[in-house]
């Protein structure tokens, strides 16, 4: 299964973003409204970072920063790890596991086309496994699949 399949199967494939000049508070409000754990940082059409709940906790709260006066640029992760839509889902899982990250922007030929989360990955794997099990059960019972 490729990452493009995960993006296609997502119930919501919108890209939510802020700029590096957005306050942490404003970004957190957007994340709460959308029920998401991370938001991409896009400046002048370019992907410049990602801001996650983990960034807020480690670089904001624990360092005594105010969410209403701290800008995203001061707490975002700017060393981005991205994947392409043609990469295998297993590769994304490995990256997420090794790098201890929960979100991966998907970039094809320099263009941002989406983002996948660990939840998207797990949901896709479960869906794929259910389909395989159903196919095997149909094969074993002699039913057409």
């Amino acid at each position: 299964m490729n990452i493009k399949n995960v993006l296609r199967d997502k119930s919501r494939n919108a890209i939510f973003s802020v700029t590096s000049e957005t306050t942490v508070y404003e970004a957190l409000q957007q994340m709460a409204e959308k029920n998401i754990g991370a938001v991409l940082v896009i400046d002048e059409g370019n992907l410049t970072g990602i801001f996650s709940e983990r960034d807020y906790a480690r670089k904001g709260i624990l360092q005594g920063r105010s969410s209403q006066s701290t800008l995203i640029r001061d707490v975002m992760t700017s060393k981005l790890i991205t994947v392409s839509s043609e990469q295998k889902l297993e590769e994304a899982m490995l990256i997420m596991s090794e790098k201890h990250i929960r979100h991966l922007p998907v970039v094809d030929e320099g263009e941002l086309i989406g983002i996948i989360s660990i939840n998207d990955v797990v949901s896709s794997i479960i869906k794929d496994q259910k389909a395989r099990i159903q196919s095997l059960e149909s094969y074993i019972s002699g039913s057409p699949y």
Side-chain angles (χ1 to χ4, degrees):
M1 180 181 294
N2 289 350
I3 291 171
K4 68 179 167 189
N5 301 110
V6 176
L7 290 175
R8 185 193 65 226
D9 293 345
K10 285 178 72 164
S11 60
R12 177 178 65 181
N13 194 24
I15 297 174
F16 299 109
S17 67
V18 296
T19 70
S20 59
E21 297 299 314
T22 304
T23 66
V24 168
Y25 185 80
E26 292 167 327
L28 291 171
Q29 280 183 312
Q30 184 180 132
M31 291 163 62
E33 287 170 11
K34 308 296 184 192
N35 195 29
I36 55 175
V39 64
L40 296 172
V41 182
I42 299 177
D43 292 308
E44 297 178 13
N46 297 313
L47 179 62
T48 57
I50 188 167
F51 173 72
S52 69
E53 294 165 334
R54 184 178 288 176
D55 291 322
Y56 174 61
R58 294 181 180 178
K59 300 174 193 170
I61 291 292
L62 291 177
Q63 293 185 9
R65 293 180 168 160
S66 164
S67 63
Q68 293 190 349
S69 61
T70 302
L71 298 179
I72 289 296
R73 73 170 177 235
D74 298 325
V75 294
M76 71 182 191
T77 298
S78 56
K79 292 184 180 179
L80 288 175
I81 300 169
T82 64
V83 291
S84 78
S85 66
E86 295 301 321
Q87 283 182 264
K88 299 285 185 194
L89 186 60
E90 292 79 12
E91 292 177 64
M93 287 174 43
L94 185 61
I95 291 168
M96 290 174 151
S97 179
E98 287 179 348
K99 303 295 184 183
H100 304 285
I101 56 177
R102 298 178 187 144
H103 302 87
L104 281 172
V106 183
V107 177
D108 282 347
E109 298 178 15
E111 182 182 345
L112 175 67
I113 62 165
I115 184 169
I116 60 169
S117 69
I118 192 66
N119 186 55
D120 298 328
V121 171
V122 170
S123 295
S124 292
I125 290 170
I126 290 170
K127 182 179 174 183
D128 184 58
Q129 292 299 317
K130 282 182 179 179
R132 288 177 193 233
I133 289 168
Q134 185 176 17
S135 177
L136 287 170
E137 286 175 343
S138 294
Y139 175 75
I140 290 168
S141 68
S143 301
Y145 22 136

